[in-house]
Amino acid sequence: MGTPLGDFVRTKRDSIQPETLGLPERGRRRSPGLRRLDLAARAGISVEYLTRIEQGRDRNPSIAVINALADALSLDAAERGHLRYLAKITGGECTAHARPAPPRRDVRPSVLRTLHLLEPGIAVVTNRLGDILAHTTGYATLTGGTGLLDADAGVPNLTRYVFTDPRARAFFADWDDVADEQAFDLWLGPSVENSEWLSAELAPVAGPDFTSRLNRHVVPRRGTLRLNHPAGPGLRLTRETLDVPADAQQIVVFLPADEETETAIARLRERPRLRAIS
């Protein structure tokens, strides 16, 4: 049985072409990417040890080995952070017996006061599983008519919306990028067990678009967010995330990326609230 760490190393190795690292082409092979032999040599470890890591038979590689693998795979800063995180949770999996409590879904008064100070701007409080716990009126305006804040399923959840509501593919101009972000953020939750709990609930209805992303550990770029609002305007937004680490939550603030978006949002605020489109 594999581990998150092994899955990430193997997936990243498969994505690298040897010539990009200045390695010679060794002829045709059955699987894509970098050979285990080449990666092991670059990292200064044996092929057998690398195989044990990838297959989940070694769950506690040293920090030196993790850093060597990061160098050998030419990981960027975000990918290195994710590799270290996966090493940490993989090493703890064999000693985890009790199922952790679900992620916190209440928002502390001081966080709510902070959110209030951002009015009438666009901001939302979420946890890493995608639950929308509180938001400004500006966020309600931004998402009006999309169905995202519909309360039929209880607490609105961005991850569930992205993968199960067909309106999400119209709302998010770069749906694939947003889907990568939501799947990746599950690994950053209070515990990997909580992400597995959500995936067990979500996978039957979300299908392979969700499960394939969850398992390949793509570190998203988080560039400009492009939205197609039901009222007509195309919007471009930058995002600033303020972590609330004690609660495993974050405040995400959305800012217009250009004058056209700023003007369009001002006009949306003047419109009556849209009914959700079907």
Side-chain angles (χ1 to χ4, degrees), residues 15 34 47 65 80 85 104 106 137-138 156 191 233 260 264 271:
S15 72
L34 196 63
V47 175
V65 168
R80 285 171 180 268
Y85 173 77
R104 183 169 181 166
D106 62 305
T137 56
S191 68
E260 292 80 3
R271 295 173 62 92

Side-chain angles (χ1 to χ4, degrees), residues 12-49:
K12 192 65 183 176
R13 176 172 63 80
D14 288 345
S15 72
I16 297 174
Q17 296 304 312
E19 56 268 22
T20 65
L21 301 179
L23 297 173
E25 177 56 51
R26 298 181 185 269
R28 297 182 61 184
R29 50 173 305 192
R30 287 177 296 177
S31 57
L34 196 63
R35 293 172 182 265
R36 277 199 184 119
L37 174 64
D38 290 328
L39 178 58
R42 284 173 60 83
I45 60 178
S46 70
V47 175
E48 291 75 14
Y49 187 33

